[in-house]
Structures are given as C-alpha cells and as structure tokens.
Amino acid sequence: MIVFFRLLKILRVFARYRLDQLLPANLPFAAKLLLLFFKLFPAPRLSRGECLRRACEDLGPIFVKFGQLLSTRPDLVPDDIVQELNHLQDNVAPFASEEFQRIVEASLGAKVSDIFASYEHAPLASASVAQVHTAVLNDGREVVIKVIRPGIQAVIEQDIELLLLVARWVENNTLDGKRLHPVEIVEDYRVTIIDELDLQREAANASQLRRNFLNSPLLYVPEIYWDYTRSNVLVMERIYGIPVTDMAALNAQNTDLKKLAERGVEIFFTQVFEHNFFHADMHPGNIFVSTKNPQLPQYIAVDMAIVGSLTREDQYYLARNLLAMFRRDYRQVAELHVQSGWVPSYVRVEELEAAIRTVCEPIFEKPLKEISFANVLLSLFRTARRFDMEVQPQLVLLQKTLLNIEGLGRQLYPDLDLWATAHPFLERWLKNRFHPKSLWRELKRTAPDWMEKFPQVPDLIFSSLQQLPLITQKLDALENDVAKRNLHQHRGRRKLIALVALGAAGYFLYQDMQGSAVLRDWIITDVSPSTIVLGAIGLLALWFRK
C-alpha cells in the first residue's frame, strides 16, 4: 500500500510538471491513451529542463540524485536538460541530531563524549544520502563526521523499483525507448547510489587520492581517520577553504585566477593519465581553494564517493584521439576509433572520417581559446554513436568530469585556453609512455608473471600437439557437414527449378490445347511450344532423380 501511494505521488508530480512533454510525439496509441491523465493539468510556463529539475526536487533526495546522474549522461540526454539538471543541489532537510548521535555511538561502540573532546549538535551540511557534523578528537584534531541517513536504503530500493517500472514502460511503449536505454540508466543509478551508501568505499577512494597528491602544490585531500570509520560512519580531517565559486572571497585575497584555472586542468590530466584514478564528482560543492598562498593557489577536494579510471588501452587511444583532433587528422581519429573497438570493425573508416570532419571542422575555425575541449569530445562521441559506437561508461564519466573542470576553469578565468595546457601534457605523456625507462619499468612489473608462467610453457606446447589429431578430425567432420549442407541446398534449388518449369509447361500446354484440336485429341502432328516444354520436363525429371 505504501508503494502504491508513493507511485500515485510520483505520477501526480510528473503530471503537474507535464513531463509527458519530454516524450516523443510519435507514441503508440496505447501510450497516448495512458497519458491522457497528464492532459488534465495545464502546461507550466517553464522549460522542459526546469520542469524535470523541479520534479526531482519535489520527489525528494533519491530523485535529486537520479537527476544528478542523468546530468552525467549527455550522450543520451539533450544539452538543455543536462544544463538544468547540473543545478540540482543537495539542500535536504537534516534529520534529528539525537538520531545522528545514536548511529555514531552504535557504529563506533562508545559514547560520543568518550570519543570526541567536543561535538557540534547542529549539522554542518545535509545532503541526499548523508549528513555531516563537526567535532574535535581527544588529541585536539578537528574532524567532520559523516553519517548515512537512517532508513535511506529501504527508500532507495523502493524508489528504484518504481523508477524501473517507469523506465520499462517508456522502453516498451515509446518508439525511442530502446534508443534511450532508460532501464540501463536506472540500473546504473542503482549501482552508483548503493556504492555511495558505503562510506568505507569513499574513505578508501579518499586515501588513494590523498596518497597520489601527497605534498603536491596542486591538490590537497583531507586525511581519513580509519579508527573511527565504518560502512555508515566516516570521520575525516576538517578543512578550511574558500568555495571555488565564491569569486568575491577569491578576489578579496588577491587569488591568481589564471593560475587557479590552469592548475585545475593540470590536476584533471594528471589524475587521468598519470595516476589513472580521477575524482569523478568535481562539482563546485566538492571543491575549495586554500587560503595559504593565493598567488600559487591550491585546490582542496572532498566527497570522493565517485571515482573513475581507464584501461591502459583507453588511456592510449584517448590521448592519441585528442592529439589527432588537435592536428585535424580526422583520418587517424576514425582509424583509432575502429582500432580501439569503440566502433565495430565493419564500419567504413572513410565514412566515419567524413562524419568527424563535418562535426569538427567548423569548431576549429574559431580561436583555440574559444573552443570547448569538452564539447569537442562530446561531439566526437555523438558522431561515433551514429556508427553503432557502444556507450563506454568510463568515457562518459571522464567526459562529465572534463565538462565540470572546463566549465569551472572558464568561470574562474574566461580566457582559459585549455588546449594550451592539454596539448603539451599529452605530447609529454605519450613520449614518456614509450621512453626506454618506462618500458623497462613495465618489463620489471610484468616479469614476475612471465617467470611464474614460463615453466608451464613446455607442458602447454606438448598438450597442444596431443590435441592436434582430434582437432584435425573435428575440422574434417565440420568440412563434411558443410559439404552435405551445400549438396542439400543445391538439390533443393534443382527441385525449385523443376517445379517452376513444370508450372510453366503446364501453362503453355493449356494454352496450346485451347487453340489446337489435334492436341485435344492427343495427336501431335507438328512441333509446338508445348512439345518442347514437355520434353524439357522429361529431361528435368531425369535430372531430378540423380
């Protein structure tokens, strides 16, 4: 019954914001019939993106998170809706401080007063799936305590089942449903949101990112206090910094905004290509700027629930793709897409090259500083989708992160030339990848595996040789089967020809009999067309018996 009332509320909100307008016009009749309920509500004077954003906000934190996930899928969601969903914020009403304290004490097995020298009862922040309070450890270190909302998992499972119900309906009852993959999107959301409920996973991500940038002037990641961290409780170092979007505060301390924007780009490429471990949720709410050295500003990152990585092959092909685009070598871009397996091997490289040139050439006519790196990548992926490119989840996550980084950089410093930073970085990375020292390091890394497997090589060779006769027999049997099928098909075709000839002969014979009394009396006194046809039938009959 609770699920039923929840479904009614979702339908009412969808109708209030007329989300049926997001569906294509060419719907099947049954779908149009079901959507008549929505027509009872007047269309709001809002854009379709704003309607969807407000619907997510009205339906609560789970739908807010789902809207945020949709904003990470520009390969499936139109640009205007993505831009509106990017404005979704986690301004969720906090739950009771007493409940927060009870969860902390139950998880850590001790009283709050025993663990912390002081503890702030009022929340510092409240988001969709968690709430944060500040505290001070007994040794004087300032920390923040993050706790998963009580009962949130049951709510998530319930809402996901309802979202799946809606997604299946859209997929089965709209003509574009299959192309939009709504069920796939909801399943991705399930994985993402369940991962976010495990704070130990987030803590592990934060520890790895902190280790990658330890003592770096570019990025600071707060320390995790593992003694006080559980699956539903996370205790980490408290940081002080300026929110990256607070331009007034950044200007007040005379921050070098050009350097800040360029360092953001450098952090991104360092994470993707050198560390292969990138913070994939770098929206403004998760990024701060240190106040220690405004002329050499340092970023501070929090909330590492979502991270991404690429395979070595994807790293290599992505770097080469970006450099080839920069040089306008569209042929190489097309070839790399096929070589990497991003598009099927049956795609003609010439056609893909022409499509990429059509998209990219107008973009590159602009000055480099006016070109959006992220939008070029987005256009490239969209073009490739026309050639049956499968959605690469890791590349979509990377693309979303790049959109965030570039948008943030342009906000800090409008004249940011991302290409000027990216181009030398990619050139240097590719050069180092094939440097003798890098190859030697890779050899040393894989040598233990080679040595472990090498003693097995003689046995594998001997075993393969023993299997050769059996393989040969199977191949011979397969060839015989193929030959028999071909013979059967050949005889089948001969039967078809005989039947067609028989039909034609009968037709001609009938025509002759209509005009010839001799034939009607079965006396053949002259060679007629029907005689020839009848002779042909006899020959076909003899041939058919062979």
Side-chain angles (χ1 to χ4, degrees):
M1 186 60 69
I2 295 175
V3 174
F4 176 73
F5 283 119
R6 178 62 172 167
L7 180 60
L8 285 181
K9 180 180 180 180
I10 292 171
L11 291 174
R12 188 173 68 250
V13 171
F14 280 16
R16 182 194 311 157
Y17 290 104
R18 292 299 303 275
L19 296 189
D20 59 307
Q21 297 179 83
L22 297 177
L23 299 175
N26 52 349
L27 293 172
F29 176 76
K32 291 180 178 178
L33 197 63
L34 287 172
L35 290 174
L36 286 177
F37 167 71
F38 288 71
K39 306 290 185 183
L40 300 175
F41 293 78
R45 296 180 179 178
L46 302 170
S47 68
R48 61 179 185 172
E50 190 172 357
C51 285
L52 183 57
R53 175 178 63 81
R54 292 196 178 189
C56 290
E57 290 172 341
D58 288 357
L59 288 170
I62 305 308
F63 281 81
V64 168
K65 275 289 181 188
F66 184 63
Q68 290 172 343
L69 176 73
L70 285 179
S71 73
T72 69
R73 297 304 301 267
D75 58 318
L76 299 177
V77 181
D79 290 342
D80 59 315
I81 296 179
V82 167
Q83 291 174 7
E84 191 64 41
L85 293 178
N86 279 332
H87 298 150
L88 284 173
Q89 300 296 324
D90 281 337
N91 298 322
V92 182
F95 60 91
S97 175
E98 294 77 16
E99 180 68 9
F100 185 97
Q101 183 172 329
R102 185 194 66 77
I103 294 172
V104 172
E105 291 179 344
S107 297
L108 300 184
K111 294 286 186 183
V112 166
S113 56
D114 295 334
I115 304 171
F116 304 105
S118 64
Y119 161 75
E120 185 61 51
H121 289 270
L124 177 67
S126 181
S128 299
V129 299
Q131 187 164 302
V132 176
H133 290 237
T134 60
V136 178
L137 293 174
N138 287 323
D139 60 7
R141 291 176 291 180
E142 294 185 81
V143 298
V144 295
I145 312 168
K146 185 175 182 178
V147 166
I148 297 295
R149 284 179 171 271
I152 192 68
Q153 184 148 0
V155 176
I156 287 173
E157 290 294 341
Q158 173 185 300
D159 279 356
I160 284 176
E161 289 305 317
L162 293 175
L163 283 171
L164 280 171
L165 185 67
V166 174
R168 291 191 189 102
W169 184 87
V170 170
E171 188 166 290
N172 296 325
N173 294 280
T174 65
L175 298 180
D176 288 335
K178 300 292 184 184
R179 180 181 62 82
L180 296 175
H181 306 293
V183 175
E184 176 189 323
I185 293 174
V186 176
E187 291 292 355
D188 285 349
Y189 171 61
R190 184 202 295 271
V191 173
T192 301
I193 196 72
I194 294 300
D195 284 350
E196 285 196 55
L197 296 180
D198 186 355
L199 293 183
Q200 282 190 307
R201 176 187 289 265
E202 179 181 340
N205 293 339
S207 292
Q208 177 69 54
L209 201 62
R210 176 181 171 84
R211 187 161 56 250
N212 290 346
F213 283 94
L214 197 62
N215 301 319
S216 169
L218 302 176
L219 179 67
Y220 183 82
V221 178
E223 182 180 358
I224 299 296
Y225 299 116
W226 282 102
D227 290 343
Y228 310 104
T229 295
R230 305 290 186 271
S231 62
N232 62 339
V233 175
L234 169 63
V235 176
M236 65 187 297
E237 173 189 1
R238 184 178 184 182
I239 57 97
Y240 291 93
I242 301 172
V244 73
T245 53
D246 191 347
M247 298 301 297
L250 291 174
N251 286 320
Q253 70 166 10
N254 198 27
T255 304
D256 187 336
L257 297 179
K258 180 175 183 294
K259 177 69 71 175
L260 184 64
E262 290 173 347
R263 284 191 161 188
V265 176
E266 188 178 351
I267 288 170
F268 171 78
F269 281 98
T270 300
Q271 289 182 90
V272 171
F273 289 102
E274 291 189 5
H275 301 155
N276 194 20
F277 190 83
F278 59 93
H279 190 320
D281 195 21
M282 296 188 74
H283 63 75
N286 290 339
I287 305 174
F288 299 84
V289 179
S290 172
T291 59
K292 293 180 180 178
N293 190 347
Q295 291 306 300
L296 292 173
Q298 183 185 45
Y299 284 93
I300 305 172
V302 298
D303 194 352
M304 273 65 72
I306 305 175
V307 297
S309 61
L310 304 175
T311 65
R312 285 176 55 83
E313 292 77 13
D314 280 345
Q315 281 182 310
Y316 173 68
Y317 283 114
L318 182 64
R320 288 193 64 192
N321 263 290
L322 295 175
L323 286 173
M325 278 197 302
F326 180 79
R327 299 174 185 136
R328 303 195 191 188
D329 187 350
Y330 305 122
R331 176 75 177 193
Q332 187 179 45
V333 174
E335 290 173 344
L336 287 167
H337 270 67
V338 175
Q339 292 171 16
S340 65
W342 295 349
V343 298
S345 57
Y346 59 76
V347 169
R348 291 184 59 189
V349 173
E350 296 80 7
E351 293 179 3
L352 181 57
E353 176 191 1
I356 293 171
R357 181 185 295 108
T358 302
V359 170
C360 293
E361 197 61 29
I363 297 173
F364 284 107
E365 289 301 315
K366 300 177 181 179
L368 284 179
K369 71 176 183 179
E370 295 180 15
I371 297 174
S372 168
F373 203 162
N375 285 334
V376 170
L377 197 60
L378 177 59
S379 299
L380 180 65
F381 289 163
R382 281 182 173 166
T383 302
R385 292 259 350 241
R386 288 171 41 206
F387 293 86
D388 298 327
M389 174 180 174
E390 289 294 324
V391 176
Q392 307 284 327
Q394 72 278 15
L395 296 181
V396 172
L397 200 58
L398 175 83
Q399 175 187 299
K400 172 62 178 176
T401 306
L402 182 55
L403 282 167
N404 282 339
I405 290 293
E406 187 174 43
L408 179 61
R410 291 270 167 87
Q411 181 179 348
L412 294 170
Y413 185 70
D415 289 332
L416 172 67
D417 185 351
L418 188 144
W419 292 90
T421 305
H423 185 223
F425 186 98
L426 293 172
E427 291 273 17
R428 186 172 62 252
W429 181 80
L430 280 173
K431 182 179 178 181
N432 290 337
R433 182 183 174 98
F434 298 105
H435 192 278
K437 289 184 178 179
S438 301
L439 295 175
W440 177 244
R441 281 197 302 269
E442 185 65 19
L443 180 62
K444 288 195 296 184
R445 187 178 71 85
T446 57
D449 292 334
W450 291 6
M451 297 302 295
E452 181 70 22
K453 295 173 183 176
F454 186 75
Q456 304 172 25
V457 171
D459 287 338
L460 290 172
I461 294 173
F462 183 71
S463 176
S464 299
L465 291 173
Q466 284 184 318
Q467 294 294 322
L468 263 179
L470 181 60
I471 294 172
T472 303
Q473 290 175 7
K474 288 184 177 179
L475 286 174
D476 290 341
L478 183 61
E479 287 179 1
N480 290 333
D481 289 343
V482 171
K484 288 178 181 178
R485 281 199 299 270
N486 288 340
L487 180 60
H488 180 72
Q489 290 171 359
H490 184 54
R491 286 177 174 172
R493 285 195 294 269
R494 288 193 297 181
K495 288 179 183 179
L496 180 61
I497 293 170
L499 290 172
V500 171
L502 180 61
Y507 172 76
F508 287 122
L509 180 60
Y510 171 76
Q511 293 295 326
D512 285 338
M513 289 178 66
Q514 293 297 315
S516 172
V518 176
L519 273 175
R520 281 198 298 269
D521 296 333
W522 295 96
I523 301 173
I524 302 176
T525 59
D526 198 0
V527 179
S528 66
S530 57
T531 305
I532 298 172
V533 172
L534 286 170
I537 291 174
L539 292 173
L540 281 170
L542 291 172
W543 178 54
F544 172 70
R545 292 180 62 185
K546 293 182 180 179

